[in-house]
Protein backbone atom coordinates (compact mmCIF):
# COMPACT_ATOMS: atom_id res chain seq x y z
CA UNK A 1 0.00 0.00 0.00
CA UNK A 2 1.34 3.40 -1.01
CA UNK A 3 1.61 6.20 1.54
CA UNK A 4 0.26 9.49 0.19
CA UNK A 5 0.59 12.81 1.98
CA UNK A 6 -2.06 15.42 1.17
CA UNK A 7 -1.98 19.06 2.24
CA UNK A 8 -5.23 21.02 2.12
CA UNK A 9 -4.98 24.72 2.90
CA UNK A 10 -7.48 27.52 3.27
CA UNK A 11 -7.62 31.02 4.68
CA UNK A 12 -8.12 31.85 8.33
CA UNK A 13 -10.38 34.89 8.07
CA UNK A 14 -12.29 36.91 5.51
CA UNK A 15 -13.80 40.25 6.38
CA UNK A 16 -17.59 40.06 6.94
CA UNK A 17 -17.61 36.24 6.67
CA UNK A 18 -18.74 34.50 9.84
CA UNK A 19 -18.28 30.89 8.64
CA UNK A 20 -15.48 30.47 6.13
CA UNK A 21 -15.73 27.36 3.93
CA UNK A 22 -12.05 27.52 2.95
CA UNK A 23 -11.29 26.99 6.64
CA UNK A 24 -14.15 24.62 7.50
CA UNK A 25 -13.79 22.22 4.56
CA UNK A 26 -10.09 21.38 5.12
CA UNK A 27 -10.75 20.90 8.83
CA UNK A 28 -13.69 18.57 8.14
CA UNK A 29 -11.63 16.44 5.74
CA UNK A 30 -8.74 16.17 8.20
CA UNK A 31 -11.16 15.22 10.98
CA UNK A 32 -13.50 12.86 9.12
CA UNK A 33 -11.33 11.56 6.29
CA UNK A 34 -12.22 11.08 2.64
CA UNK A 35 -14.45 8.02 2.95
CA UNK A 36 -14.12 4.42 1.84
CA UNK A 37 -13.26 3.25 -1.71
CA UNK A 38 -16.31 2.90 -3.93
CA UNK A 39 -15.65 -0.71 -5.06
CA UNK A 40 -13.01 -3.41 -5.06
CA UNK A 41 -11.33 -1.99 -8.17
CA UNK A 42 -11.06 1.55 -6.78
CA UNK A 43 -7.40 2.70 -6.73
CA UNK A 44 -8.05 4.21 -3.29
CA UNK A 45 -7.67 0.67 -1.92
CA UNK A 46 -3.95 1.01 -2.71
CA UNK A 47 -3.37 4.21 -0.74
CA UNK A 48 -2.86 5.06 2.90
CA UNK A 49 -3.78 8.75 2.96
CA UNK A 50 -2.54 11.29 5.50
CA UNK A 51 -4.22 14.71 5.42
CA UNK A 52 -2.57 17.83 6.82
CA UNK A 53 -4.25 21.23 6.95
CA UNK A 54 -3.00 24.77 7.37
CA UNK A 55 -4.93 28.06 7.65
CA UNK A 56 -3.27 30.98 5.88
CA UNK A 57 -3.51 34.73 6.37
CA UNK A 58 -5.15 36.73 3.58
CA UNK A 59 -1.79 38.31 2.91
CA UNK A 60 0.25 38.71 -0.27
CA UNK A 61 3.46 38.62 1.75
CA UNK A 62 2.68 35.85 4.22
CA UNK A 63 0.21 33.35 2.72
CA UNK A 64 2.76 31.51 0.59
CA UNK A 65 5.58 31.40 3.20
CA UNK A 66 3.09 29.97 5.70
CA UNK A 67 2.04 27.25 3.28
CA UNK A 68 5.64 26.56 2.28
CA UNK A 69 6.54 25.80 5.91
CA UNK A 70 3.91 23.05 5.91
CA UNK A 71 5.05 21.73 2.53
CA UNK A 72 8.66 21.52 3.72
CA UNK A 73 7.56 19.73 6.89
CA UNK A 74 5.18 17.21 5.28
CA UNK A 75 6.68 16.65 1.80
CA UNK A 76 3.24 16.19 0.21
CA UNK A 77 2.31 14.30 -2.93
CA UNK A 78 -0.86 16.36 -3.41
CA UNK A 79 -1.63 19.96 -2.44
CA UNK A 80 -5.17 21.34 -2.63
CA UNK A 81 -5.43 25.07 -1.99
CA UNK A 82 -8.84 26.59 -1.33
CA UNK A 83 -10.29 30.06 -1.12
CA UNK A 84 -13.57 31.97 -1.14
CA UNK A 85 -15.39 33.71 -4.01
CA UNK A 86 -17.83 36.06 -2.31
CA UNK A 87 -20.38 36.35 -5.12
CA UNK A 88 -20.26 32.72 -6.30
CA UNK A 89 -23.21 30.34 -6.41
CA UNK A 90 -21.17 27.18 -7.01
CA UNK A 91 -17.83 25.50 -6.43
CA UNK A 92 -15.26 26.75 -8.96
CA UNK A 93 -12.35 24.60 -10.14
CA UNK A 94 -9.62 27.02 -11.14
CA UNK A 95 -7.84 26.23 -14.40
CA UNK A 96 -4.86 28.55 -14.16
CA UNK A 97 -2.99 31.12 -12.10
CA UNK A 98 -1.61 34.30 -13.64
CA UNK A 99 1.54 36.20 -12.69
CA UNK A 100 -0.24 39.35 -11.58
CA UNK A 101 -1.14 41.11 -8.33
CA UNK A 102 -3.74 43.84 -8.74
CA UNK A 103 -5.65 44.43 -5.52
CA UNK A 104 -8.91 46.37 -5.47
CA UNK A 105 -8.86 46.32 -1.65
CA UNK A 106 -6.11 46.01 0.96
CA UNK A 107 -5.07 42.59 2.24
CA UNK A 108 -4.70 41.69 5.93
CA UNK A 109 -1.42 43.63 6.07
CA UNK A 110 -2.99 46.67 4.40
CA UNK A 111 -0.94 45.98 1.27
CA UNK A 112 -2.43 47.16 -2.02
CA UNK A 113 -0.22 46.02 -4.93
CA UNK A 114 -1.29 47.38 -8.30
CA UNK A 115 -0.35 45.68 -11.57
CA UNK A 116 2.72 43.98 -10.13
CA UNK A 117 4.14 40.56 -11.03
CA UNK A 118 4.00 37.89 -8.35
CA UNK A 119 7.40 36.54 -9.42
CA UNK A 120 9.56 38.83 -11.51
CA UNK A 121 10.42 37.21 -14.86
CA UNK A 122 8.19 34.23 -13.97
CA UNK A 123 5.93 32.61 -16.58
CA UNK A 124 2.78 34.52 -17.45
CA UNK A 125 0.61 31.67 -16.12
CA UNK A 126 0.60 28.11 -14.82
CA UNK A 127 -2.09 25.50 -15.46
CA UNK A 128 -3.61 23.41 -12.69
CA UNK A 129 -2.33 19.87 -12.13
CA UNK A 130 -5.70 18.48 -10.99
CA UNK A 131 -7.90 16.02 -12.97
CA UNK A 132 -10.67 18.52 -13.64
CA UNK A 133 -12.85 16.31 -15.85
CA UNK A 134 -13.02 13.52 -13.27
CA UNK A 135 -13.72 16.00 -10.47
CA UNK A 136 -16.50 17.79 -12.37
CA UNK A 137 -18.07 14.41 -13.19
CA UNK A 138 -18.09 13.55 -9.47
CA UNK A 139 -19.70 16.92 -8.68
CA UNK A 140 -22.45 16.21 -11.22
CA UNK A 141 -23.08 12.74 -9.76
CA UNK A 142 -23.28 14.19 -6.24
CA UNK A 143 -25.56 17.08 -7.24
CA UNK A 144 -22.98 19.77 -6.43
CA UNK A 145 -23.31 22.98 -8.49
CA UNK A 146 -19.90 23.62 -10.01
CA UNK A 147 -18.09 25.51 -12.71
CA UNK A 148 -14.71 25.65 -14.40
CA UNK A 149 -13.03 29.00 -13.86
CA UNK A 150 -10.20 30.54 -15.87
CA UNK A 151 -9.86 33.47 -13.50
CA UNK A 152 -8.79 33.14 -9.88
CA UNK A 153 -8.76 36.93 -9.73
CA UNK A 154 -5.72 39.06 -8.98
CA UNK A 155 -5.97 39.09 -5.18
CA UNK A 156 -4.30 36.80 -2.61
CA UNK A 157 -5.97 33.58 -3.83
CA UNK A 158 -4.42 33.92 -7.28
CA UNK A 159 -1.07 34.92 -5.81
CA UNK A 160 -1.00 31.83 -3.61
CA UNK A 161 -2.14 29.60 -6.48
CA UNK A 162 0.61 30.94 -8.76
CA UNK A 163 3.36 30.51 -6.16
CA UNK A 164 2.13 26.99 -5.37
CA UNK A 165 2.30 25.96 -9.03
CA UNK A 166 5.67 27.68 -9.43
CA UNK A 167 6.93 25.53 -6.54
CA UNK A 168 5.24 22.42 -7.95
CA UNK A 169 7.14 22.89 -11.22
CA UNK A 170 10.39 22.28 -9.31
CA UNK A 171 9.17 19.09 -7.62
CA UNK A 172 9.62 15.55 -8.89
CA UNK A 173 5.96 14.56 -8.76
CA UNK A 174 3.44 16.69 -6.93
CA UNK A 175 -0.13 17.40 -8.03
CA UNK A 176 -1.55 20.77 -7.01
CA UNK A 177 -4.46 23.02 -7.77
CA UNK A 178 -6.98 25.49 -6.40
CA UNK A 179 -10.66 25.26 -5.48
CA UNK A 180 -12.78 28.38 -4.93
CA UNK A 181 -15.73 27.85 -2.60
CA UNK A 182 -18.84 30.05 -2.49
CA UNK A 183 -20.20 31.48 0.78
CA UNK A 184 -22.17 29.17 3.05
CA UNK A 185 -25.89 29.90 2.72
CA UNK A 186 -27.47 27.41 5.11
CA UNK A 187 -29.21 25.68 2.22
CA UNK A 188 -31.31 28.59 0.93
CA UNK A 189 -31.37 28.86 -2.85
CA UNK A 190 -32.30 32.51 -2.58
CA UNK A 191 -28.80 33.50 -1.51
CA UNK A 192 -25.33 33.19 -2.96
CA UNK A 193 -23.47 30.11 -1.87
CA UNK A 194 -24.02 26.50 -0.91
CA UNK A 195 -24.72 24.45 2.16
CA UNK A 196 -21.56 23.54 4.09
CA UNK A 197 -22.28 19.82 3.75
CA UNK A 198 -22.23 20.13 -0.04
CA UNK A 199 -18.96 22.01 0.11
CA UNK A 200 -17.35 19.35 2.32
CA UNK A 201 -18.53 16.69 -0.12
CA UNK A 202 -17.03 18.74 -2.97
CA UNK A 203 -13.71 18.93 -1.14
CA UNK A 204 -13.83 15.18 -0.58
CA UNK A 205 -14.50 14.59 -4.30
CA UNK A 206 -11.51 16.75 -5.23
CA UNK A 207 -9.16 14.85 -2.94
CA UNK A 208 -10.45 11.40 -3.91
CA UNK A 209 -10.23 12.00 -7.66
CA UNK A 210 -6.79 13.58 -7.37
CA UNK A 211 -5.54 10.54 -5.44
CA UNK A 212 -7.00 8.22 -8.08
CA UNK A 213 -5.29 10.25 -10.80
CA UNK A 214 -2.01 10.23 -8.89
CA UNK A 215 -2.14 6.43 -8.65
CA UNK A 216 -3.47 5.79 -12.16
CA UNK A 217 -2.83 8.80 -14.45
CA UNK A 218 -5.18 9.12 -17.41
CA UNK A 219 -5.34 11.83 -20.06
CA UNK A 220 -9.12 11.42 -20.02
CA UNK A 221 -9.24 12.91 -16.52
CA UNK A 222 -7.73 16.21 -17.65
CA UNK A 223 -9.81 19.15 -18.81
CA UNK A 224 -8.09 22.49 -19.37
CA UNK A 225 -9.94 24.26 -22.21
Amino acid sequence: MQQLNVVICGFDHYENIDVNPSYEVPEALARDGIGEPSDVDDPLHDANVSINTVALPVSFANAWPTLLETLDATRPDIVIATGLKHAAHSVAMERCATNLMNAARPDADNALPRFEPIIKDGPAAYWTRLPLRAIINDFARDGIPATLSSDAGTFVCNSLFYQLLHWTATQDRVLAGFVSFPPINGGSRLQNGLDLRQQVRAGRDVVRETIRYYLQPSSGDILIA
Side-chain angles (χ1 to χ4, degrees):
M1 182 172 289
Q2 185 169 351
Q3 175 66 42
L4 290 181
N5 294 328
V6 179
V7 167
I8 309 174
C9 68
F11 289 94
D12 58 11
H13 176 72
Y14 285 95
E15 188 176 358
N16 299 321
I17 297 294
D18 294 328
V19 183
N20 172 15
S22 82
Y23 177 84
E24 298 295 337
V25 172
E27 289 298 307
L29 296 181
R31 181 183 64 247
D32 301 330
I34 60 170
E36 296 299 319
S38 57
D39 56 55
V40 295
D41 296 323
D42 193 329
L44 290 175
H45 279 293
D46 299 324
N48 182 32
V49 180
S50 174
I51 295 181
N52 299 276
T53 65
V54 56
L56 312 174
V58 185
S59 163
F60 285 103
N62 295 315
W64 170 243
T66 303
L67 176 56
L68 184 58
E69 288 182 7
T70 297
L71 303 184
D72 288 341
T74 60
R75 300 177 62 85
D77 304 289
I78 293 168
V79 185
I80 309 295
T82 74
L84 176 70
K85 280 192 172 180
H86 289 74
H89 297 265
S90 60
V91 178
M93 297 303 304
E94 302 293 349
R95 288 187 180 101
C96 70
T98 57
N99 191 12
L100 176 66
M101 296 182 290
N102 185 30
R105 63 187 187 280
D107 70 1
D109 303 320
N110 210 35
L112 194 68
R114 298 290 289 170
F115 298 102
E116 298 178 22
I118 298 165
I119 296 177
K120 187 177 180 180
D121 299 324
Y126 284 107
W127 292 100
T128 184
R129 303 287 299 278
L130 301 185
L132 299 185
R133 188 185 302 276
I135 292 167
I136 291 294
N137 286 342
D138 270 11
F139 287 171
R141 183 168 56 251
D142 290 338
I144 299 168
T147 186
L148 294 172
S149 171
S150 296
D151 181 8
T154 53
F155 197 52
V156 177
C157 284
N158 176 74
S159 180
L160 176 74
F161 187 18
Y162 183 90
Q163 290 176 93
L164 171 59
L165 294 181
H166 186 75
W167 172 84
T168 302
T170 69
Q171 305 303 302
D172 182 37
R173 189 186 177 201
V174 178
L175 300 181
F178 199 99
V179 183
S180 293
F181 290 116
I184 294 168
N185 72 355
S188 170
R189 296 183 180 181
L190 300 178
Q191 306 173 43
N192 290 344
L194 291 175
D195 181 89
L196 179 58
R197 290 172 296 178
Q198 288 181 292
Q199 302 205 42
V200 171
R201 175 171 284 188
R204 187 171 289 117
D205 285 346
V206 172
V207 175
R208 288 168 65 92
E209 286 299 344
T210 305
I211 291 171
R212 291 184 178 115
Y213 179 68
Y214 188 95
L215 295 171
Q216 295 184 0
S218 168
S219 60
D221 292 332
I222 296 299
L223 178 64
I224 298 298

